[in-house]
Amino acid sequence: MRRSRVTTVSLLAALVLAGCTNAKDVLEPSAITPPAASAQPAQPPSATPGTAPAGTPSPPAVGATTPANPAQSAAALSKTRLQIAPIVGASVEAATPLTAELQTRARQRGITLAGSTDQTATHVLKGYFSTMTEGKDTTVIYVWDVYDPAGNRLHRINGQQKAASVSGAEGWPAVAPATMQAIADQTIDQFSAWLGSSAG
């Protein structure tokens, strides 16, 4: 069945309001052990922080935002201890490659990961996910909120990733691991760019 078109804003609002009720779909990131090496080369950062391309992963963007002072950016990243909260809205099968790639990409960027019980985290990343299937394509819509240890929201990253559905399925069964890995790469790249710009 083809879902009717609705605006991304409406989907994101409904996702944030309803996503927390899907406790059975929450994946605890600490349960994931990242692979020794990524199977694919890392994707380039998106051109605009806070957004993701609507299509499949594209070539490196021209004019991507870069911090004014690379030394300050590197210092900010090295001081960061990022805690990834359980993923809301995505199935465990879809969230597993996402979480593993988040951990791998964070390490590539020089960001230290904090465990779920670690009290020294400087930032907490909470993600809310939904899907929309239209024809042969499925779009993953996502919102990430970045919080400080006191629970104050500091930043929001949101976007969508569209890809051909796997085996003609709909919803989460139609989402390939590569789609979730691309979202993870974009998320950490945008988080890093935000930290770098804040450091200046």
Side-chain angles (χ1 to χ4, degrees):
M1 182 186 301
R2 178 177 294 193
R3 297 187 185 179
S4 60
R5 283 190 172 272
V6 293
T7 64
T8 299
V9 173
S10 297
L11 280 174
L12 293 174
L15 170 62
V16 171
L17 291 175
C20 294
T21 62
N22 298 331
K24 65 184 179 63
D25 289 338
V26 175
L27 176 69
E28 187 67 49
S30 60
I32 303 299
T33 302
S38 296
Q40 288 184 308
Q43 296 296 324
S46 297
T48 306
T51 61
T56 53
S58 56
V62 176
T65 301
T66 54
N69 188 329
Q72 284 183 338
S73 176
L77 291 175
S78 68
K79 292 177 183 176
T80 300
R81 292 184 58 82
L82 179 63
Q83 185 179 87
I84 302 172
I87 307 301
V88 177
S91 68
V92 171
E93 292 77 15
T96 297
L98 170 79
T99 306
E101 185 65 16
L102 282 171
Q103 295 174 343
T104 299
R105 190 66 160 189
R107 289 189 181 99
Q108 290 172 352
R109 287 289 193 168
I111 298 171
T112 300
L113 295 170
S116 59
T117 60
D118 193 330
Q119 300 298 312
T120 65
T122 59
H123 298 82
V124 179
L125 188 65
K126 295 184 179 180
Y128 306 89
F129 285 71
S130 182
T131 62
M132 180 176 62
T133 299
E134 293 183 300
K136 296 181 179 180
D137 296 326
T138 295
T139 301
V140 178
I141 301 162
Y142 59 92
V143 176
W144 295 99
D145 283 329
V146 182
Y147 293 90
D148 67 12
N152 300 307
R153 194 176 81 186
L154 305 175
H155 185 59
R156 171 165 280 187
I157 297 167
N158 58 64
Q160 53 185 299
Q161 185 77 19
K162 184 176 182 180
S165 299
V166 176
S167 304
E170 292 186 2
W172 288 113
V175 179
T179 300
M180 301 303 283
Q181 290 167 341
I183 290 172
D185 289 342
Q186 293 161 11
T187 298
I188 293 299
D189 289 346
Q190 291 171 35
F191 174 74
S192 300
W194 169 71
L195 278 179
S197 64
S198 300

